[in-house]
Amino acid sequence: MTAQFLYGGAGLILFVLGLWSFLVHAPLLRKLIALNIMGGGVFHVLIAVAYRGDGVPPDPVPHALVLTGIVVAVSATALGLVLGARMQAGEREG
Amino acid sequence: MHLDLLTDPLVLCIMLPLLGAVLTAALPRRAVLLGSLMAVATSAAAVTLTILVWQSGTLRVALGGWDQKLAISLRADGLATALVVMANIVGLGISVYASGYFRDPERMRAFWPLWLLLWAALNGLFLAGDLFNLYVMLELLGIAAAALGALTGSRDAIAANLRYLLVGLLGSITYLLGVALLYTAHGTLDLDLVAASIAADDELFAVNAATLVLMVAGLALKAALFPLHFWLPPAHANAPAPVSAALSALVVKAAFYLILRLWLDLFAPVTGMAAAMLLALLGAAAVVWGSWRALRAERLKLLAAYSTVAQIGYLFLFLPLLAATPAGPVRDSLLAALVLMAVTHGFAKAGFFLATGLVQTNAGHDRIDDLGGTAQRLPATTFAIALSGSALIGLPPSGSFIGKWLLMQCAIETGQWWWVIVVTTGTLLAAAYVFRVLSRAFGLEPTPLRFITDARAEIPALLLALVSVAVLGLASGPLWTLLGLQAGGDA
């Protein structure tokens, strides 16, 4: 039970740290990393929720959510990077 | 997979545009033809769905034959269907317009898959029956919308839409944390089951309240509620015209729909008057500030974008009135008025943006002060701007006239008279910014030879504007039926 709280609590702390970093830092790369840390925090919470005690198989639903969430986060990050790269390329040309 | 599921309009509304997105991406040379076909098919599915819901009430489907706790569930109730039918008719109009809009073949090929993906996400969001699918659709919507908005490739457009993407991601990740907390507390993601669990258990009030704050804050960012609207005007004003129409008329509305859904269905026992008042105050600020900035805007598209900020504000004014009104025909009418305003704005703003795009192409710019003579050159387009403008103001017989009327009536009856001042101010400012455009549009050039100059581009704008004014205003009764309410149009 303690491990579950530690893990979930760490997830919440990660979320808040990521939020702080997202709001404070201007560079695109730092913002994208910050968003991914926030996402990681939410995934921590979900994995902690899935724990149902030793010897009992974990709840599969949150695990499925985390997997889907990772896919979504990767695609969103990719689009952010592409748009950022386009902007930089435009700056160099013009 | 059961075969009958494949012909269910509920499933088709999401699968057809998704299939279209794949097809247009795989066969880019035929993108316009395939995309248009899929747009027509999707709209047909949406209309079929509307008729079914009309006849037999709420529809539900659990995909894959799993039970309610595990399956991807779709459901179409009156509220969802009203927005689906609006989004799909507007979407069809945008598709027809877009099929002739893009001169550059590369842009045109990029537009169709993204646009159909956006469409699938919209329908998916309106029809999703569980919290996590809502998250996936929300994320898909945000990604497709940001990519579409950056389609012109100009620096301003990319910068504005990169910001839009980041803000959207922040909003949806905050919503996702809310989903995780709700699953922790209630052990299910199904909307109905979570709602029942929240209603049954008072002890979890703190968790529920925290979740409500997280979810509404994240979604308010996506719905551009004042003061979280800062990203909207540049993103919407720099997108290509059909994309601006979709973003302003539909995408923002989807985030609001989700707030409404959570507020009314899920968190009804948790939401209090104070929270509703706070959101309505922000909405009031949005009405005044958005209308004021629209009046001061120098470019037509920026004017339309700020007007969206104001129009979203009106929708939030309904929350404290709904909270103060006991369940009954009066509250039902108020809810229908809210939906009517949202739907009217969808049609009007889409018509407005499509017409604006035509002005921009024709005049080579969209500076309001230099629009002299547009009415003479593009009479049908100017007429579309005037019609949708009158719906934005809320002149009779537009749908928003009825919406605003019921809103003000209820504000006085519940003793919250101050909202009347907000609505009046917003309406006067809207009249000022619409007439400012129209007064510039008439110059001194000779009268035109033809009413319609470019049918494929002008007719969708005109029809959408016409729906917002005439159809929704004069025949809004069916909306009450669709929402499952007794005909209370005379209330």
Side-chain angles (χ1 to χ4, degrees), chain B residues 407-428:
Chain B
L407 170 67
M408 294 204 277
Q409 194 181 33
C410 192
I412 292 171
E413 275 167 12
T414 54
Q416 302 180 25
W417 50 269
W418 48 87
W419 304 128
V420 177
I421 302 175
V422 176
V423 174
T424 317
T425 313
T427 305
L428 287 176

Side-chain angles (χ1 to χ4, degrees), chain A residues 12 15 19 22-23 28 31-32 35 38-39 42-43 45-46 49 59 61-62 64-66 68-69 72-73 75-77 79-80 83-84 86-87 91, chain B residues 69-70 132 135-136 139-140 142-144 146-147 150 155 158-162 165-167 169-170 173-174 176-177 179-181 183-184 187 189 214:
Chain A
L12 288 179
F15 184 89
L19 178 63
F22 180 87
L23 296 177
L28 171 68
K31 280 195 189 294
L32 282 174
L35 278 173
M38 289 174 77
V42 179
F43 299 155
V45 174
L46 281 169
V49 174
D59 183 356
V61 173
L65 302 192
V66 171
T68 318
V72 171
S75 359
T77 309
L79 179 60
L83 289 180
R86 282 277 168 85
M87 274 221 335
E91 264 167 27
Chain B
K69 279 187 86 168
L70 215 52
F132 191 73
Y135 163 74
V136 174
E139 209 61 295
L140 202 56
I143 292 175
R155 212 190 118 69
I158 294 182
N161 282 283
L162 184 56
L165 178 74
L166 290 174
V167 165
L169 288 176
L170 182 64
I173 208 94
T174 312
L176 184 64
L177 183 62
V179 174
L181 291 181
Y183 190 80
T184 314
L189 293 166
L214 279 175

Side-chain angles (χ1 to χ4, degrees), chain B residues 41-79:
Chain B
T42 309
S43 315
V47 170
T48 317
L49 175 73
T50 312
I51 294 169
L52 284 177
V53 173
W54 180 295
Q55 286 167 344
S56 49
T58 306
L59 295 179
R60 282 163 213 280
V61 167
L63 298 181
W66 301 94
D67 71 338
Q68 200 180 5
K69 279 187 86 168
L70 215 52
I72 292 180
S73 64
L74 302 175
R75 67 164 193 189
D77 56 4
L79 175 61

Side-chain angles (χ1 to χ4, degrees), chain B residues 18-301:
Chain B
L18 210 53
L19 183 67
V22 174
L23 284 178
T24 49
L27 302 167
R29 283 168 190 282
R30 308 220 173 274
V32 177
L33 178 69
L34 285 171
S36 312
L37 279 178
M38 279 312 188
V40 172
T42 309
S43 315
V47 170
T48 317
L49 175 73
T50 312
I51 294 169
L52 284 177
V53 173
W54 180 295
Q55 286 167 344
S56 49
T58 306
L59 295 179
R60 282 163 213 280
V61 167
L63 298 181
W66 301 94
D67 71 338
Q68 200 180 5
K69 279 187 86 168
L70 215 52
I72 292 180
S73 64
L74 302 175
R75 67 164 193 189
D77 56 4
L79 175 61
T81 313
L83 284 156
V84 164
V85 74
M86 180 274 282
N88 283 268
I89 293 174
V90 170
L92 186 61
I94 291 174
S95 302
V96 174
Y97 181 94
S99 65
Y101 179 82
F102 292 98
R103 300 272 177 269
D104 177 3
E106 199 183 326
R107 299 251 154 78
M108 191 179 65
R109 284 177 205 157
F111 170 80
W112 283 98
L114 286 169
W115 160 234
L116 289 167
L117 190 66
L118 181 103
W119 197 336
L122 264 178
N123 281 350
L125 198 147
F126 289 135
L127 299 173
D130 74 78
L131 290 162
F132 191 73
N133 280 325
L134 283 170
Y135 163 74
V136 174
M137 293 305 171
L138 201 61
E139 209 61 295
L140 202 56
L141 191 65
I143 292 175
L148 272 177
L151 210 57
T152 56
S154 76
R155 212 190 118 69
D156 284 348
I158 294 182
N161 282 283
L162 184 56
R163 185 157 67 158
Y164 175 36
L165 178 74
L166 290 174
V167 165
L169 288 176
L170 182 64
S172 43
I173 208 94
T174 312
Y175 169 86
L176 184 64
L177 183 62
V179 174
L181 291 181
L182 273 188
Y183 190 80
T184 314
H186 302 284
T188 175
L189 293 166
D190 186 88
L191 282 175
D192 296 338
L193 297 179
V194 175
S197 175
I198 288 180
D201 201 343
D202 290 340
E203 288 173 15
L204 292 169
F205 182 83
V207 181
N208 293 337
T211 312
L212 175 71
V213 171
L214 279 175
M215 288 179 145
V216 170
L219 292 169
L221 195 57
K222 279 180 160 296
L225 175 61
F226 181 91
L228 304 173
H229 67 283
F230 56 89
W231 55 267
L232 185 146
H236 287 194
N238 285 309
V243 176
S244 302
L247 294 182
S248 240
L250 309 177
V251 175
V252 179
K253 218 55 61 50
F256 175 78
Y257 160 81
L258 199 46
I259 293 182
L260 193 65
R261 183 109 269 179
L262 296 176
W263 194 269
L264 297 178
D265 292 357
L266 222 56
F267 290 106
V270 185
T271 57
M273 195 53 173
M277 234 9 146
L278 175 67
L279 285 181
L281 273 177
L282 296 179
V287 168
V288 176
W289 177 247
S291 306
W292 174 249
R293 288 301 301 263
L295 183 61
R296 306 275 302 164
E298 285 177 2
R299 289 176 46 213
L300 199 50
K301 287 180 92 173

Side-chain angles (χ1 to χ4, degrees), chain A residues 24-55:
Chain A
V24 168
H25 296 117
L28 171 68
L29 210 54
R30 295 194 72 159
K31 280 195 189 294
L32 282 174
I33 294 173
L35 278 173
N36 276 289
I37 291 176
M38 289 174 77
V42 179
F43 299 155
H44 263 228
V45 174
L46 281 169
I47 289 172
V49 174
Y51 177 75
R52 291 191 290 201
D54 287 331

